[in-house]
Amino acid sequence: MRDGVIITRPPPGLAPTMAAVAGAGWRPIAAPMLHVVPLGLTLGAFRPDAVVLTSGQALAALDDPRLHACPCYVVGQATARRARAAGFSHVIPASGTAAELVALLRASCRAGSRLLLAVGRGYGGDMANELRGAGFRVARRCVYAIEPVRVLPDATEADLRAEQVAAVMFYSTRTAEAFVAALGPIVAGMLARVDAIAMSGTVAAALTGGPHWRAVRVATHPDQDAMLDSLGRPDSN
């Protein structure tokens, strides 16, 4: 029975997504394709007026109560909930993309404000430059690194070989790239009867040139609710 849905995002987002997929009637299969390595935070003399996050993965490094007193601007409601749970008292979410977050900051913060942009290694450079061009003082700090998982979990590969997988969910380009790179030729050939569910067109583009999918579905908005809408329910597939 094709009732399995592979979820490629890493913790801590993995667990709530598995619960949501199970709530939609599917059998969730955990296959996190990224390993997150904490790097810590060094601010020096910089004292931010606001904290800016594009991913909840940065929150582990932001455990200083002095930072929690700052307004915290984030992408998406899921990261907003995690920021509040981590101790931030004033969290302002943009609806779903980094571009919308930049627009929110330009509308909400005065020119010259000091912004702590906490990101993963290799991320946030363009955003930092755009914010500096808009008149903000930006300290970009890489507080975690992401490493791809190079081999599929044994149980995930077994489900694919047994033709029990209906879809694979991809929340980022890096998870998509890591999943495709981890496929052996035999398993890759089994994806012709499996759907790829991509959070955005950019994520979907990372799947091109790889295995042949039954279909690549792109969420209408870059959030989990839209991902689940794209997935549907077992009786509708």
Side-chain angles (χ1 to χ4, degrees):
M1 178 180 179
R2 286 189 179 273
D3 63 344
V5 175
I6 296 172
I7 302 161
T8 59
R9 72 188 313 191
L14 175 63
T17 298
M18 289 187 68
V21 167
W26 298 96
R27 178 173 60 88
I29 302 167
M33 296 307 300
L34 299 175
H35 177 59
V36 180
V37 181
L39 300 178
L41 171 66
T42 301
L43 276 178
F46 188 83
R47 292 294 176 263
D49 298 308
V51 175
V52 182
L53 307 177
T54 58
S55 169
Q57 298 290 358
L59 284 165
L62 307 180
D63 57 356
D64 187 332
R66 292 172 297 179
L67 294 177
H68 295 169
C70 297
C72 182
Y73 293 83
V74 304
V75 174
Q77 293 295 336
T79 301
R81 289 190 292 270
R82 288 169 59 186
R84 294 184 187 103
F88 285 92
S89 56
H90 186 200
V91 180
I92 308 98
S95 59
T97 68
E100 289 167 328
L101 180 58
V102 170
L104 176 62
L105 288 163
R106 297 183 71 160
S108 303
C109 300
R110 71 182 187 279
S113 293
R114 294 163 299 187
L115 306 180
L116 168 61
L117 177 59
V119 295
R121 181 188 291 160
Y123 290 93
D126 290 344
M127 176 182 282
N129 290 335
E130 185 174 358
L131 290 169
R132 290 177 185 128
F136 296 110
R137 297 169 60 190
V138 180
R140 173 177 168 267
R141 296 291 184 270
C142 297
V143 297
Y144 64 94
I146 292 178
E147 299 176 353
V149 174
R150 304 194 181 279
V151 179
L152 290 182
D154 290 343
T156 301
E157 182 167 332
D159 278 327
L160 284 166
R161 288 178 177 271
E163 299 187 350
Q164 295 179 351
V165 176
V168 185
M169 300 181 74
F170 298 102
Y171 282 72
S172 72
T173 56
R174 289 202 175 183
T175 55
E177 291 165 352
F179 183 86
V180 170
L183 293 172
I186 294 175
V187 176
M190 295 176 175
L191 296 176
R193 296 182 62 193
V194 176
D195 291 342
I197 311 297
M199 175 169 269
S200 68
T202 302
V203 176
L207 299 169
T208 61
H212 175 69
W213 300 87
R214 185 178 79 160
V216 177
R217 306 185 198 172
V218 179
T220 57
H221 198 266
D223 60 34
Q224 180 156 291
D225 288 343
M227 292 278 283
L228 292 172
D229 286 344
S230 294
L231 176 62
R233 300 189 69 87
D235 54 8
S236 65
N237 285 262

